[in-house]
Amino acid sequence: MSLFERPPAGAVGEAIPHESAELHVTGAALYTDDLGVRLSNLLHAWPLQAPHAHARVTRLDTAPALLVPGVVRVLSAADVPGVNDSGVKHDEPLFPEEVMFYGQAVCWVLAESAEAARLGAEAVRVEYQPLPAILTIAEAIAEESFQGAQPTLRRGDVALGFEQAAHIFEGEFEFSGQEHFYLETNAALAHLDESGQVFIQSSTQHPSETQEIAAHVLGLSSSQVTVQCLRMGGGFGGKEMQPHGFAAIAALGALLTGRPVRVRLNRTQDLTMTGKRHPFHARWRVGFDQDGRLQALQATLSSDGGWSLDLSEPVLARALCHIDNAYFIPHVEVHGRICKTNKTSQTAFRGFGGPQGMLVIEDILGRCAPLLGLEAHELRRRNFYQPGEATPYGQLVRHAERMHTVWDTLLERSDFEARQAEIRAFNAAHPHVKRAIAVTPVKFGISFNFTAYNQAGALVHVYKDGSVLINHGGTEMGQGLHTKMMQVAATALGLPLSRVRLAPTRTDKVPNTSATAASSGADLNGGAVKNACDQIRGRLAEVAAGALGVHPDDVRFQSGRVFPLGHPDKGMDWEQLVSDAYFLRTQLWAAGYYRTPGLHWDRVTVQGEPFKYFSYGAAVCEVEVDGFSGAYRQLRADLLHDVGDSLSPLIDLGQVEGGYVQGAGWMTLEDLRWDTGDGPNRGRLSTQSASTYKLPSFSEMPEVFKVALLEQATESGVVYGSKAVGEPPLMLAISVREALRQAAAAFGPGGRTQELALPATPEAVYWALEAARQASEQRVAADD
């Protein structure tokens, strides 16, 4: 069978719970920090964080810390046997001589208890020479403080496009980042075995890279370091790069003391030491023809990368590749640049730049629709990609008609037109409360921008009793990847799911793995798991063919039985076949491999085919806004998302729901604030706890929440016809902000552009609707 074809019966497509759901809800699931109690003589690490956004360390005296009872050692740059750097770009000193953000660790204290380590860190004497700090995108632009490449996305001739445009608008838009706020903070646990092998338990989305960074800090080869990720309590991209340094600290401590070392950040440390979603500033100019169709877009995107590059370059590249979202724009010129600021090194976050790019074009359309005399949803529909059209970076938009199907189906199912009429009547009768309904699309490319990452491996064992153990390179962070991989293996081998067990992700089982990121975990690892299973199944088919007297191609595996095609009554049990194969000296294990075909990408010219396919979706959101306070409610949300033929529908529905809610948090609530004043706390993160950084809760959920998966949506060339689901649903939440924009505009006259800050907090919505009221008053005064 091909990669995407499904057998008549199998575990894929079954709506089953997450494989660890019962462990999660009973508290029995183990995470990295839970494993330390199994080790004797455990040491605890605590960072000494710098109280400056930018400063030079002029003196570091660790001797007083060693006088604190329980303190065993203080780690500093002098202790590093390898390379004092924890970044893949070699721009992130593990122990810095120059502090680059407020809260950066300058040394780590190891002690018998976390409290002793904390007291030891307080006893360390450090002297700093404060240096000027850059904290905002505006400051970075003024100082020309940039880092990394500055790519440009081009198609056509924007000058010609603007000449042909009937309407030209311009503006700018700046929006904040977002804190990952995973339930489990960063954690690592390291110890040495009797041969000197370093073993690290890490809460990491990228075990192979954690292995590489720890090895070069220790001055060891990768083969001397093993990293295991049992599971994570959330990641969202925040554990793709950020865990490497913490794992290196634990490993360095274990190497120098010969004792196991535990690193676990508390919530404040995690918030102040780790990167966030990249904030962006966009300056744009756009042209439309007489019918409201996009003609030209010229823009400059400036992202805030923080103090080091981290993943800022590919994040910016994906933002450029998604500034079109679902819309065809004939003439495009978009410049990108990364600001270097004295803040945490901003990093991957669900969507990886895609949401930022989409926000720009959706903000443009939301602002321009009234000026064009069109309803926002109609302006969006008119500009959808048509079959045969390509993106500005040269990739054909495959299945463009699917976006139209999603859109039309959702408008019909959500009773969009009827509810619009109801809202108009409601607003006419309520001067101090307004409602609005908005719909926005999503077209999101699936694959890593960096082509080499689009590969995966797996190891599948079939034991003599017929039981199966699988191991793959992907990591589990609650998204259900392990559940899907078990379903893939069970289906490929024709077994009940109960016969398949999964082992934790380890670098000594499957090497050189890519990060579990870019929504590609199931595509890549599923392809590798299926490849390994197909190898085993092929060998077993040869054995069965001899016993059944048929050709191997006519052997069928289904529900734990092996039989000739068309004769399920004449077969044998799986266990019997495996036993027979063993005695015939048949290999019962296989290493699987998969790489995504057809990808090519030139990051200099920003041209190529970086994505295997596009995921499509749309969301309709209805809100109600109070005119006195700006407070609002989500009355209803209708979501329709394309996941191909779902591998695991219950898992996928949960991912769509969760992605939407997390996106709504970014759109409306989550407001990262740094102290940008000139006082002693300049550069300090002000929102460094759950009391000051507001997350979405049940009270912010839509009162009516309807989520569905697109039917009859097989994606050829992907494991069992499925599609990725991790990141794309987050962008469905753009509909929330667009609904709030329209509700604020309803307090004023029509035909005017309505600006709205992001996050659209009640305060921001209040000032937006107040501007609408003032516009109404001005129009009345002008008429008088």
Side-chain angles (χ1 to χ4, degrees):
M1 295 175 66
S2 68
L3 180 65
F4 77 92
E5 291 178 298
R6 294 189 177 188
V12 293
E14 292 184 8
I16 63 172
H18 190 286
E19 47 89 22
S20 294
E22 186 175 331
L23 300 179
H24 291 156
V25 299
T26 59
L30 296 177
Y31 296 86
T32 298
D33 193 50
D34 297 321
L35 306 174
V37 296
R38 303 179 175 193
L39 300 172
S40 59
N41 298 317
L42 181 66
L43 293 176
H44 304 258
W46 193 276
L48 173 59
Q49 296 180 258
H52 300 282
H54 191 197
R56 187 168 288 108
V57 179
T58 58
R59 180 170 176 262
L60 180 64
D61 182 6
T62 62
L66 299 174
L67 300 177
V68 175
V71 171
V72 174
R73 184 153 187 162
V74 180
L75 302 180
S76 65
D79 296 309
V80 178
V83 181
N84 180 28
D85 194 276
S86 60
V88 296
K89 297 286 186 178
H90 306 294
D91 61 348
E92 298 182 36
L94 191 60
F95 300 100
E97 295 179 356
E98 182 180 347
V99 172
M100 296 299 290
F101 68 94
Y102 197 109
Q104 186 173 15
V106 295
C107 66
W108 289 76
V109 176
L110 306 181
E112 303 287 352
S113 68
E115 179 62 10
R118 183 186 69 81
L119 294 173
E122 288 183 355
V124 174
R125 294 173 186 160
V126 190
E127 294 179 3
Y128 302 93
Q129 178 190 346
L131 300 170
I134 295 173
L135 294 176
T136 67
I137 292 177
E139 291 174 358
I141 293 173
E143 296 292 332
E144 296 188 347
S145 177
F146 302 111
Q147 57 183 331
Q150 297 191 18
T152 296
L153 173 67
R154 282 193 178 93
R155 174 168 65 186
D157 183 343
V158 291
L160 177 62
F162 285 122
E163 282 180 17
Q164 296 173 343
H167 306 279
I168 297 175
F169 309 104
E170 59 185 35
E172 56 184 299
F173 179 32
E174 185 168 356
F175 47 94
S176 179
Q178 184 180 19
E179 168 58 41
H180 302 87
F181 223 104
Y182 23 67
L183 288 178
E184 176 208 25
T185 58
N186 273 280
L189 183 68
H191 70 273
L192 273 61
D193 65 16
E194 72 282 356
S195 65
Q197 169 89 5
V198 180
F199 184 73
I200 306 170
Q201 300 271 9
S202 177
S203 181
T204 175
Q205 292 177 234
H206 200 170
S208 288
E209 198 166 81
T210 300
Q211 173 194 32
E212 292 168 15
I213 295 296
H216 84 233
V217 168
L218 301 179
L220 301 175
S221 66
S222 291
S223 64
Q224 295 172 284
V225 177
T226 298
V227 174
Q228 174 173 298
C229 179
L230 180 59
R231 61 168 59 85
M232 286 169 278
F236 311 117
K239 293 177 181 176
E240 184 174 346
M241 294 280 286
Q242 307 285 300
H244 306 336
F246 306 125
I249 291 294
L252 177 61
L255 184 69
L256 295 177
T257 65
R259 295 173 62 178
V261 174
R262 162 191 180 258
V263 172
R264 185 189 68 81
L265 303 186
N266 62 32
R267 182 60 66 184
T268 299
Q269 289 168 339
D270 201 283
L271 288 168
T272 56
M273 295 175 71
T274 65
K276 328 295 180 191
R277 185 188 294 280
H278 287 69
F280 268 64
H281 174 274
R283 189 180 299 277
W284 53 265
R285 187 168 184 247
V286 67
F288 296 88
D289 69 11
Q290 196 63 45
D291 296 323
R293 289 183 174 82
L294 287 159
Q295 295 300 300
L297 173 65
Q298 190 172 42
T300 297
L301 303 186
S302 303
S303 73
D304 183 348
W307 75 279
S308 69
L309 268 177
D310 195 274
L311 290 166
S312 294
E313 288 179 310
V315 165
L316 179 62
R318 188 169 277 266
L320 295 179
C321 289
H322 285 80
I323 198 168
D324 59 327
N325 194 10
Y327 313 112
F328 178 72
I329 312 172
H331 304 283
V332 175
E333 181 181 290
V334 184
H335 306 280
R337 56 190 180 180
I338 303 162
C339 297
K340 184 171 184 175
T341 60
N342 294 110
K343 293 194 290 193
T344 53
S345 186
Q346 316 315 358
T347 190
F349 197 131
R350 199 174 194 171
F352 202 79
Q356 290 95 319
M358 289 185 190
L359 259 177
V360 173
I361 190 63
E362 294 299 342
D363 185 69
I364 289 171
L365 296 180
R367 287 162 70 166
C368 294
L371 303 178
L372 293 168
L374 294 171
E375 292 191 85
H377 73 278
E378 175 58 23
L379 178 61
R380 291 183 165 95
R381 186 196 62 78
R382 288 189 187 187
N383 284 286
F384 280 167
Y385 277 105
Q386 301 296 325
E389 293 179 337
T391 65
Y393 47 89
Q395 179 160 357
L396 182 70
V397 180
R398 188 163 175 253
H399 295 158
E401 69 282 355
R402 198 171 286 187
M403 183 71 255
H404 298 258
T405 300
V406 168
W407 188 265
D408 294 341
T409 303
L410 182 62
L411 292 184
E412 180 182 350
R413 289 183 183 177
S414 64
D415 300 319
F416 188 83
E417 287 188 12
R419 289 164 63 193
Q420 273 191 310
E422 292 172 1
I423 287 169
R424 283 192 289 269
F426 178 91
N427 288 348
H430 295 80
H432 303 302
V433 179
K434 302 296 181 184
R435 291 179 178 176
I437 187 170
V439 55
T440 57
V442 167
K443 173 186 69 67
F444 190 82
I446 302 298
S447 289
F448 285 97
N449 288 74
F450 184 51
T451 304
Y453 281 170
N454 294 288
Q455 59 177 309
L459 188 62
V460 176
H461 294 168
V462 175
Y463 294 96
K464 287 188 291 181
D465 64 356
S467 61
V468 178
L469 178 68
I470 66 173
N471 191 290
H472 62 90
T475 55
E476 176 63 47
M477 61 198 89
Q479 85 278 36
L481 176 61
H482 284 351
T483 307
K484 290 183 175 182
M485 295 305 95
M486 293 169 68
Q487 289 177 275
V488 167
T491 302
L493 295 173
L495 294 174
L497 193 62
S498 60
R499 297 297 280 157
V500 179
R501 193 175 77 81
L502 187 140
T505 309
R506 284 174 61 125
T507 57
D508 62 353
K509 296 296 185 291
V510 180
N512 309 320
T513 58
S514 299
T516 305
S519 303
S520 62
D523 290 1
L524 296 177
N525 294 288
V529 168
K530 185 175 186 299
N531 175 253
C533 291
D534 286 348
Q535 293 177 48
I536 296 169
R537 179 170 167 158
R539 297 177 198 132
L540 291 175
E542 295 278 353
V543 175
L548 299 172
V550 298
H551 191 277
D553 290 348
D554 292 330
V555 175
R556 293 295 178 266
F557 296 74
Q558 185 175 315
S559 302
R561 292 279 295 168
V562 183
F563 53 87
L565 176 65
H567 298 281
D569 55 317
K570 296 182 179 179
M572 66 178 77
D573 289 336
W574 162 267
E575 289 80 3
Q576 183 61 52
L577 174 61
V578 169
S579 178
D580 292 348
Y582 170 76
F583 284 105
L584 290 172
R585 298 188 295 177
T586 305
Q587 183 180 333
L588 294 174
W589 59 270
Y593 180 75
Y594 175 79
R595 61 179 181 180
T596 310
L599 304 180
H600 59 92
W601 179 243
D602 188 326
R603 62 185 181 89
V604 176
T605 62
V606 196
Q607 292 292 309
E609 295 197 13
F611 306 122
K612 173 66 175 173
Y613 58 84
F614 295 99
S615 284
Y616 300 99
V620 171
C621 179
E622 182 179 353
V623 299
E624 181 180 280
V625 173
D626 175 67
F628 294 109
S629 64
Y632 47 79
R633 296 186 295 147
Q634 276 195 69
L635 299 179
R636 177 173 165 181
D638 295 77
L639 280 55
L640 181 60
H641 200 69
D642 168 23
V643 298
D645 287 340
S646 175
L647 292 176
S648 194
L650 200 58
I651 296 292
D652 286 345
L653 283 170
Q655 286 293 291
V656 175
E657 292 169 355
Y660 175 84
V661 172
Q662 189 172 50
W666 183 39
M667 294 293 114
T668 63
L669 297 171
E670 300 181 45
D671 195 4
L672 285 167
R673 297 289 183 96
W674 274 268
D675 186 336
T676 56
D678 295 325
N681 289 325
R682 177 172 169 78
R684 177 181 178 270
L685 179 66
S686 302
T687 50
Q688 54 180 261
S689 69
S691 63
T692 52
Y693 185 78
K694 185 165 175 54
L695 295 163
S697 61
F698 282 116
S699 60
E700 281 78 40
M701 291 281 286
E703 295 174 17
V704 177
F705 198 16
K706 298 186 176 183
V707 181
L709 304 178
L710 184 67
E711 299 169 351
Q712 297 179 339
T714 303
E715 184 66 28
S716 61
V718 185
V719 62
Y720 289 128
S722 63
K723 274 188 173 183
V725 71
E727 293 172 297
L730 181 134
M731 286 141 278
L732 296 173
I734 295 174
S735 62
V736 183
R737 181 171 178 267
E738 290 305 303
L740 290 172
R741 182 203 303 278
Q742 293 178 27
F747 285 90
R752 55 176 289 277
T753 190
Q754 178 64 62
E755 296 187 16
L756 180 62
L758 189 149
T761 62
E763 179 183 6
V765 171
Y766 175 79
W767 290 118
L769 67 86
E770 185 64 18
R773 283 178 177 143
Q774 291 176 5
S776 185
E777 293 170 0
Q778 290 169 0
R779 186 167 296 185
V780 170
D783 291 342
D784 292 342

